[in-house]
Amino acid sequence: MPKILDRARARVLDDGAGLDEAGILEVLQLPDEDLPELLQLAHEVRMKWCGPEVEVEGIVSLKTGGCPEDCHFCSQSGLFASPVRAVWLDIPSLVEAAKQTAATGATEFCIVAAVRGPDKRLMDQMRAGVQAIKEAVDIQVAASLGMLTQEQVDELAEMGVHRYNHNLETCRSYFPNVVTTHSWEERWSTLTMVRESGMEVCCGGILGMGETLEQRAEFAAQLAELDPHEVPLNFLSPRPGTPFGDRPVVEGRDALRAIAAFRLAMPRTILRYAGGREITLGDLGTRDGLLGGINAMIVGNYLTTLGRSATADLELLKDLKMPVKSLSATF
Amino acid sequence: MYCDRCGLAAAEGDHAACVTARQLEPPRYCADCRRRMKVQVVPTGWTATCVEHGERRG
Ligand code: SF4
Ligand SMILES: [Zn+2]
Ligand SMILES: [Zn+2]
């Protein structure tokens, strides 16, 4: 067994402490022949420190497109020649989406808006939307509305939003290659306010944007330092018209190495499959990731792209004997 | 008629990559007039609306 896996077994599996940046890098550099052993260890770590349950979530876009920011992977930026047009979802459709999500057995419903940060119109729409969902559907509501002020953090917590997503997207050293209209530190400061409010912190990013393996390790270590409740892991799905529209997709094996490495960096976090897994991993790879550190998934469609059918994913979980986390288990 | 993914004439050029991509994407351009449509994706489907040619669903 490679030495790094021996070390990880003692430190992460036995003691529940995450690997440091150097260790994460060693894992990311393991040759293909060590991949099965790596995935097996990451799976054991997940089972020991998180358990067999899988947290299932649905997401929906409340306000799509027309964003003033320039995140180079994003089809919703108004600064690129992307075909995505600006559109708002009305409250009845939002509630319907929450109902459909709950019907899959999902316990999380995340409302997302393509904005730098919320304005009054969006906060009003959120308040009405969260209230309408809470009256009609038994599901926990999360939100992702960009950078927040302290007042907005307090307001969302008071509305009953239980978790807030704000991705760092990539490591600090690579961030200026991805976004120029705001800084990594600005994102970090929103995350700090969210943490202090008592809302759960959800923070992840996208792999395959041109970062080196060293930078991937740096990112995992920075996330571990933040210690979020949940880490959504996306693989770049190159969007037409965006600056990253012509980038190659992440190789399945590299994606699996990254999943295992992130699990070994953060043994207790909810590590969620988010966008891009369909093209990067396909059906077989999706299964391998669930047996290699992943313990949560977004089911159904994403914000501007489509996913596998929720039924296919739920059948896979059944097949793997991984129960869907229930609402009672989340309190 | 136009390709509903890239908006170019459907009869010209190769849209095989568009067809593949469309399995994981809603349409963006109206196939009748190539206007960009207003598209709303929800967890279990999508709607795409052209001001001239109305709504499509999937
Ligand atoms: S802030 Fe969000 S919606 Fe706006 S461009 Fe960046 S990723 Fe896209
Ligand atoms: Zn085309
Ligand atoms: Zn039309």
Side-chain angles (χ1 to χ4, degrees):
Chain A
M1 188 189 282
K3 276 205 192 88
I4 178 61
L5 293 187
D6 274 335
R7 267 179 24 230
R9 184 168 284 282
R11 180 181 166 88
V12 190
L13 183 64
D14 298 345
D15 298 345
L19 280 186
D20 61 8
E21 188 173 332
I24 300 164
L25 179 59
E26 273 185 73
V27 167
L28 290 172
Q29 289 169 331
L30 283 173
D32 287 350
E33 59 261 32
D34 293 329
L35 186 55
E37 225 170 332
L38 167 63
L39 293 172
Q40 175 59 34
L41 175 61
H43 184 57
E44 285 174 46
V45 166
R46 169 271 177 110
M47 293 303 260
K48 174 163 178 187
W49 295 104
C50 305
E53 291 86 12
V54 173
E55 193 186 83
V56 176
E57 176 184 57
I59 62 174
V60 78
S61 180
L62 179 60
K63 186 246 165 192
T64 305
C67 180
E69 303 304 292
D70 76 343
C71 311
H72 291 13
F73 54 83
C74 182
S75 66
Q76 301 198 66
S77 168
L79 302 176
F80 314 137
S82 157
V84 175
R85 283 187 60 183
V87 57
W88 283 75
L89 187 67
D90 58 38
I91 302 282
S93 307
L94 181 70
V95 174
E96 184 54 34
K99 276 188 189 155
Q100 290 168 356
T101 298
T104 66
T107 51
E108 295 282 321
F109 183 66
C110 187
I111 304 171
V112 186
V115 290
R116 176 183 169 91
D119 58 8
K120 181 156 183 333
R121 178 185 177 194
L122 180 57
M123 290 302 278
D124 289 349
Q125 188 82 346
M126 270 305 286
R127 182 174 289 282
V130 173
Q131 193 183 346
I133 291 169
K134 286 191 178 285
E135 278 163 15
V137 194
D138 208 10
I139 198 159
Q140 308 212 76
V141 178
S144 181
L145 315 173
M147 291 178 281
L148 302 176
T149 63
Q150 185 62 55
E151 293 71 42
Q152 290 167 335
V153 170
D154 298 342
E155 221 180 313
L156 289 169
E158 178 259 317
M159 282 178 209
V161 170
H162 93 115
R163 188 181 294 172
Y164 192 78
N165 164 267
H166 194 48
N167 288 343
L168 286 167
E169 306 299 7
T170 191
C171 66
R172 190 176 191 157
S173 72
Y174 194 65
F175 192 85
N177 298 79
V178 178
V179 185
T180 69
T181 48
H182 59 267
S183 66
W184 196 88
E185 290 73 14
E186 284 176 275
R187 289 195 177 221
W188 186 275
S189 105
T190 288
L191 290 161
T192 313
M193 285 189 283
V194 169
R195 142 97 16 96
E196 284 164 5
S197 76
M199 277 189 285
E200 292 177 1
V201 174
C202 168
C203 178
I206 306 176
L207 304 183
M209 298 196 289
E211 75 282 3
T212 61
L213 286 188
E214 284 77 7
Q215 285 168 323
R216 228 169 255 183
E218 179 193 336
F219 183 37
Q222 285 161 346
L223 285 174
E225 184 191 333
L226 178 70
D227 191 22
H229 203 86
E230 171 189 337
V231 175
L233 209 49
N234 297 269
F235 305 102
L236 182 72
S237 163
R239 298 290 81 217
T242 65
F244 290 169
D246 293 323
R247 282 205 184 272
V249 301
V250 177
E251 283 270 342
R253 281 175 308 231
D254 292 334
L256 292 171
R257 257 187 290 269
I259 288 168
F262 276 60
R263 171 55 71 204
L264 297 181
M266 293 168 280
R268 290 179 181 80
T269 199
I270 297 170
L271 187 59
R272 187 181 307 279
Y273 262 145
R277 70 177 152 105
E278 292 80 3
I279 45 171
T280 281
L281 290 165
D283 292 354
L284 253 185
T286 292
R287 184 188 183 96
D288 291 343
L290 281 160
L291 292 167
I294 292 284
N295 70 329
M297 62 209 307
I298 290 175
V299 292
N301 294 332
Y302 300 102
L303 303 173
T304 64
T305 60
L306 312 179
R308 306 207 310 166
S309 82
T311 321
D313 280 333
L314 295 170
E315 266 166 25
L316 173 59
L317 294 182
K318 212 172 182 182
D319 211 42
L320 294 171
K321 299 194 170 46
M322 293 181 186
V324 173
K325 187 159 137 191
S326 66
L327 216 44
S328 57
T330 61
F331 292 113
Chain B
M1 292 296 279
Y2 301 94
C3 169
D4 65 6
R5 177 169 193 258
C6 70
L8 300 176
E12 287 164 34
D14 183 6
H15 299 278
C18 292
V19 172
T20 308
R22 274 279 280 109
Q23 292 172 2
L24 289 170
E25 294 173 18
R28 291 288 166 191
Y29 294 89
C30 176
D32 296 322
C33 69
R34 73 154 297 180
R35 280 190 181 86
R36 276 195 312 154
M37 297 189 288
K38 284 199 167 174
V39 180
Q40 179 71 54
V41 176
V42 292
T44 51
W46 52 262
T47 54
T49 312
C50 168
V51 279
E52 186 65 29
H53 297 99
E55 188 181 283
R56 293 166 171 87
R57 282 173 174 275

